[in-house]
């Protein structure tokens, strides 16, 4: 039995609709129902942990998304298993988004859109893929996939992660000792890190200082990775060329936020990629059966590491 566990009303409705459409009617229940006492898995987004801890059969807390920062892993610790949703269509959607972002800067479309407002006609050189250096922060299932895809297209790709990785045709860096070297060659820096206590505010002055002159930022990690005022300062100074932002510390982004009006910032409303609801439901159903039977879980998270 799966219990829907969220404190966000609109997400509650999304999950109810999704499970109603894609799951057997007797496979899920609501948090305040009698059936919740027999629930073995909680599908969650900002759940009420006080309530979940009272469910006697609960074994698994399952994020409804790829991220798990909304689950309070520090409190969960090792008392429950934790899983997240990973999907090929989700990866493909992210690749499409990032490919658009890279081409936006590679083909100087940012300059063309700015020129249009000023009625200027100026042509820019066409840069080949092999000329462009892309840096990807985070080489997990999502970031590793992106690194492979962009390397296959002929870009110069480097990646950084906390633990060592080995990806064909990708220059892999790991740990604090490699961080500065990695940043020094990233003309377009893509952030796909999970949000942890150790990397909040990682997109900040220290990092921006180490990037090449006129580097560009694409943030598809979490809004809390970015120190917004630092980014604005570096864009205004001309040190950074531009930024594409899909995630924000507070969503929706407030109406009067300076990021809305900045000519060097592209804003998208947290739409880089989403797994289809059918995939979300089926992965959670699968993991619920696995946890009941004592089998290895799909996409399990290390609660101590945070990813």
């Amino acid at each position: 039995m799966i219990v829907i566990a969220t404190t966000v009303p609109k997400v509650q409705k999304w999950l109810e609709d999704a499970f109603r459409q894609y799951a057997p009617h007797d496979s899920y229940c609501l948090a305040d129902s009698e059936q919740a006492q027999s629930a073995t898995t909680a599908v969650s987004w900002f759940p009420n942990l006080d309530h979940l801890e009272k469910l006697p059969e609960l074994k698994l807390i399952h994020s409804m998304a790829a991220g798990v920062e909304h689950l309070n892993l520090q409190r969960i610790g090792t008392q429950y298993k934790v899983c997240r949703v990973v999907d090929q269509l989700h990866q493909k959607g992210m690749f499409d988004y990032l490919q658009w972002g890279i081409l936006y800067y590679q083909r100087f479309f940012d300059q063309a859109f700015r020129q249009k407002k000023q009625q200027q006609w100026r042509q820019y050189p066409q840069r080949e893929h092999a000329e462009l250096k892309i840096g990807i922060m985070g080489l997990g299932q999502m970031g590793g996939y992106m690194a492979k895809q962009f390397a296959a297209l002929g870009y110069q790709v480097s990646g950084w992660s906390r633990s060592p990785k080995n990806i064909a045709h990708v220059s892999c860096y790991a740990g604090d000792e490699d961080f500065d070297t990695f940043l020094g060659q990233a003309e377009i820096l893509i952030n796909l890190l999970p949000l942890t206590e150790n990397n909040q505010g990682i997109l900040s002055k220290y990092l921006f200082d180490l990037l090449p002159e006129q580097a560009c930022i694409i943030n598809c990690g979490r809004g809390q990775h970015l120190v917004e005022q630092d980014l604005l300062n570096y864009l205004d100074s001309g040190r950074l060329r531009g930024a594409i932002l899909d995630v924000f510390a507070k969503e929706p982004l407030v109406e009067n936020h300076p990021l809305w009006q900045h000519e060097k910032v592209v804003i998208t409303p947290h739409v880089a990629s989403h797994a289809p609801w059918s995939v979300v439901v089926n992965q959670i159903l699968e993991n619920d059966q696995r946890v009941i039977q004592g089998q290895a879980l799909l996409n399990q998270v290390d609660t101590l590491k945070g990813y």
Side-chain angles (χ1 to χ4, degrees), residues 137-260:
M137 295 171 61
L139 293 176
Q141 289 173 303
M142 185 66 77
Y145 176 88
M146 301 307 144
K148 291 176 185 177
Q149 296 301 313
F150 288 121
L153 290 176
Y155 290 102
Q156 298 182 54
V157 180
S158 60
W160 178 84
S161 55
R162 287 292 176 188
S163 56
K165 298 291 192 300
N166 185 9
I167 302 174
H169 309 297
V170 176
S171 298
C172 295
Y173 299 86
D176 294 338
E177 61 273 17
D178 286 347
F179 192 53
D180 294 7
T181 303
F182 160 74
L183 292 173
Q185 56 190 331
E187 295 178 87
I188 297 180
L189 181 69
I190 297 169
N191 177 41
L192 291 171
L193 289 169
L195 182 64
T196 67
E197 289 185 0
N198 293 330
N199 63 31
Q200 289 194 43
I202 194 171
L203 298 174
S204 61
K205 181 182 185 300
Y206 177 85
L207 179 148
F208 299 149
D209 273 334
L210 293 169
L211 293 173
E213 190 78 23
Q214 288 288 287
C216 308
I217 308 293
I218 303 178
N219 187 21
C220 293
R222 287 293 180 262
Q224 292 85 349
H225 284 132
L226 175 65
V227 178
E228 295 171 349
Q229 191 57 54
D230 285 358
L231 175 64
L232 289 166
N233 292 343
Y234 276 69
L235 292 172
D236 289 340
S237 71
R239 180 68 172 75
L240 293 178
R241 176 177 162 186
I244 297 174
L245 307 177
D246 186 57
V247 289
F248 304 89
K250 183 177 181 180
E251 297 180 356
L253 190 64
V254 296
E255 292 183 8
N256 60 349
H257 200 290
L259 287 171
W260 280 117

Side-chain angles (χ1 to χ4, degrees), residues 281-299:
V281 172
N282 286 329
Q283 281 196 21
I284 295 168
L285 288 169
E286 171 73 14
N287 269 336
D288 183 51
Q289 290 304 304
R290 285 172 176 259
V291 79
I292 290 171
Q293 297 168 15
Q295 299 176 350
L297 300 176
L298 304 175
N299 309 313

Side-chain angles (χ1 to χ4, degrees), residues 12-212:
Q12 175 83 22
K13 184 179 187 307
W14 293 344
L15 287 170
E16 288 184 38
D17 290 347
F19 272 82
R20 189 178 300 114
Q21 182 172 0
Y22 297 112
H25 74 277
D26 58 351
S27 65
Y28 68 96
C29 63
L30 303 183
D32 57 357
S33 67
E34 185 176 334
Q35 296 97 310
Q37 293 299 307
S38 62
T40 46
T41 295
V43 51
S44 303
W45 184 263
F46 290 100
N48 182 337
L49 292 178
D50 288 337
H51 179 77
L52 291 185
E53 288 172 349
K54 296 176 183 177
L55 302 182
E57 302 300 321
L58 192 67
K59 297 177 175 65
L60 170 63
I61 296 180
H62 207 304
S63 171
M64 59 171 273
V68 293
E69 70 282 350
H70 54 91
L71 295 181
N72 193 349
L73 296 182
Q74 185 174 8
R75 175 172 170 179
I76 291 172
T78 58
Q79 63 178 322
Y80 302 111
K81 296 182 184 302
V82 174
C83 291
R84 64 194 185 98
V85 175
V86 177
D87 173 59
Q88 290 183 344
L89 290 176
H90 187 196
Q91 291 174 322
K92 178 60 167 59
M94 183 65 76
F95 172 73
D96 291 343
Y97 181 94
L98 293 175
Q99 187 175 35
W100 160 77
I102 289 168
L103 289 172
Y104 178 75
Y105 292 117
Q106 179 182 350
R107 295 299 304 273
F108 297 97
F109 294 139
D110 60 328
Q111 306 293 348
F113 295 154
R114 201 169 301 145
Q115 287 175 192
K116 178 178 179 292
K117 293 180 181 180
Q118 301 167 355
Q119 298 184 358
Q120 292 182 350
W121 183 280
R122 180 185 174 189
Q123 295 178 330
Y124 289 87
Q126 181 171 320
R127 296 188 67 188
E128 297 298 323
H129 288 13
E131 299 177 47
L132 194 63
K133 297 178 180 179
I134 298 170
I136 299 175
M137 295 171 61
L139 293 176
Q141 289 173 303
M142 185 66 77
Y145 176 88
M146 301 307 144
K148 291 176 185 177
Q149 296 301 313
F150 288 121
L153 290 176
Y155 290 102
Q156 298 182 54
V157 180
S158 60
W160 178 84
S161 55
R162 287 292 176 188
S163 56
K165 298 291 192 300
N166 185 9
I167 302 174
H169 309 297
V170 176
S171 298
C172 295
Y173 299 86
D176 294 338
E177 61 273 17
D178 286 347
F179 192 53
D180 294 7
T181 303
F182 160 74
L183 292 173
Q185 56 190 331
E187 295 178 87
I188 297 180
L189 181 69
I190 297 169
N191 177 41
L192 291 171
L193 289 169
L195 182 64
T196 67
E197 289 185 0
N198 293 330
N199 63 31
Q200 289 194 43
I202 194 171
L203 298 174
S204 61
K205 181 182 185 300
Y206 177 85
L207 179 148
F208 299 149
D209 273 334
L210 293 169
L211 293 173

